[in-house]
Amino acid sequence: MTDHLTDPAGSDATAHGFTTRAIHVGQEPDPRTGAVIVPIYQTSTFAQPAVGQHLGYEYARTGNPTRTALQECLASLEGAEAAVCFASGLAAEDAIIRLLAPGDHIVCANDVYGGTWRQLDQVHARFGIESTPVDMTDLDAVAAAFRPTTRYLWAETPSNPLLKVLDLAALAELAHERGAWLVADNTFATPYLQQPVALGADIVVHSTTKYIGGHSDVVGGAVCTDERTATDLAFLQNAVGAVPGPFDNFLTLRGLKTLGVRMDRHTTNATAIAEMLDADPRVAAVHYPGLPSDPGHELARAQMSGAGGMVSFRPVGGAEAATRLCERTELFFLAESLGGVESLIEVPGTMTHASVAGTPLEVPDDLVRLSVGIEDIDDLLADLDAALGAATG
């Protein structure tokens, strides 16, 4: 499935724009039929011409041509040497952590996704991997959290759900000076809005369920990194079996083709909503790096090409008002997840981040998180305005 655009380090790849690569890298027309879309190779095994010889594929857990196409495209878009796709974002994170050994240490952001913290604190800690959450907007605090055994700085930017923006270049320098790697969760920004590898990240992880898939119809994950690390991850994946199915890869690759145009619309809509909320007396606080008043605004302008489609805020009236608000929207569906074409609303403290209650990562109980879709903006604004009136009036 390789084509002339595949090598992210080559002149051909860098000569083409983002959306051109999203549509073409790894996706040459099928040589047998001329099909312009990569086929769904729905097979568990592959015939071999002779004992010990194969045509690039032997068993579908180890590799599949549809998965290969997606991996080549993702690596190109992230500017990485290689990518490995997984059955979910958490499966991808699990494989990254499995590269470590008992006694190793991770410094993570103190507002990472709740599922990430659950995995670090309740799963890998049982096998001797220690983790310390810290405010990664404070570089002195990050440096102070380092130990001789620290192997990863685990950054998520913008963060989930408080949308903190972290200085990836500074974190990469700090990690590398101490012999550690920077792992960057780029799920919220996507490679369209942010390029962690170019800023010094060693490993980039995604829940491709979100913006990359983009249509709330597939679950997946990916790691973009150097060839050697990708080989190690592929070994772990083959040994453990956390592989995405061919149809999942097909759906994710389909979503990737429109990532650029969708992210433009997500960002435009989210900016309008954040500005409305910021000016509304029924709202106590708004978190969105596209707002000039946001603490991460200038850094976001420096390392991102847009602020993205996620907004969080705290309505006047506390947790009860937040709950009432989420139950009164019509176009914003009350649901977990994010990054689809439809708008979603939730209370992280009791939904996506319930697992961090009582920990250093606990989120405010009155925080509302929006995944702003690509609907007509006037309809979304009217929906939120009416729900705010019902919740805080």
Side-chain angles (χ1 to χ4, degrees), residues 8 14 16-19 21 73-81 157-158 166-169 172 182 184-206 224 259 300 302-306:
T14 56
H16 293 84
F18 184 93
T19 299
R21 285 181 285 131
C73 192
L74 279 171
S76 175
L77 298 181
E78 278 289 4
E81 292 180 0
T157 183
L166 306 181
D167 190 334
L168 289 175
L182 175 63
D185 186 332
N186 204 28
T187 297
F188 272 22
T190 82
Y192 183 70
L193 298 180
Q194 183 170 261
Q195 298 279 322
V197 171
L199 296 168
D202 302 281
I203 297 175
V204 179
V205 63
H206 286 278
C224 300
L259 178 61
Q303 73 180 26
M304 300 174 67
S305 60

Side-chain angles (χ1 to χ4, degrees), residues 272-281 283-287 291-294 313:
I273 286 173
E275 290 173 348
M276 181 201 83
L277 294 171
D278 195 43
D280 196 318
V283 176
V286 181
H287 305 278
L291 292 174
S293 58
D294 190 90
F313 67 99

Side-chain angles (χ1 to χ4, degrees), residues 184-311:
D185 186 332
N186 204 28
T187 297
F188 272 22
T190 82
Y192 183 70
L193 298 180
Q194 183 170 261
Q195 298 279 322
V197 171
L199 296 168
D202 302 281
I203 297 175
V204 179
V205 63
H206 286 278
S207 170
T208 57
T209 308
K210 311 305 192 296
Y211 286 107
I212 287 175
H215 293 78
S216 300
D217 55 9
V218 63
V219 173
V223 181
C224 300
T225 185
D226 62 275
E227 288 279 5
R228 180 176 178 179
T229 304
T231 298
D232 291 341
L233 289 167
F235 169 82
L236 284 169
Q237 180 184 54
N238 189 50
V240 175
V243 298
F247 188 51
D248 293 346
N249 291 313
F250 172 83
L251 288 174
T252 305
L253 192 59
R254 181 205 61 178
L256 199 55
K257 293 174 186 291
T258 61
L259 178 61
V261 292
R262 287 187 288 105
M263 290 308 297
D264 284 340
R265 179 62 172 252
H266 284 300
T267 300
T268 299
N269 280 359
T271 300
I273 286 173
E275 290 173 348
M276 181 201 83
L277 294 171
D278 195 43
D280 196 318
R282 297 170 295 183
V283 176
V286 181
H287 305 278
Y288 184 65
L291 292 174
S293 58
D294 190 90
H297 179 69
E298 290 304 319
L299 180 55
R301 289 188 62 186
Q303 73 180 26
M304 300 174 67
S305 60
M310 301 300 297
V311 179

Side-chain angles (χ1 to χ4, degrees), residues 3 23 54 56 63 84 113 117 126 141 147 170 183-184 191 258 295 298 301 386 388 391:
D3 69 19
I23 293 170
H54 57 79
V84 183
Y113 167 53
W117 178 249
R126 294 167 52 201
R147 304 176 186 173
V183 179
T258 61
E298 290 304 319
R301 289 188 62 186
L388 275 166

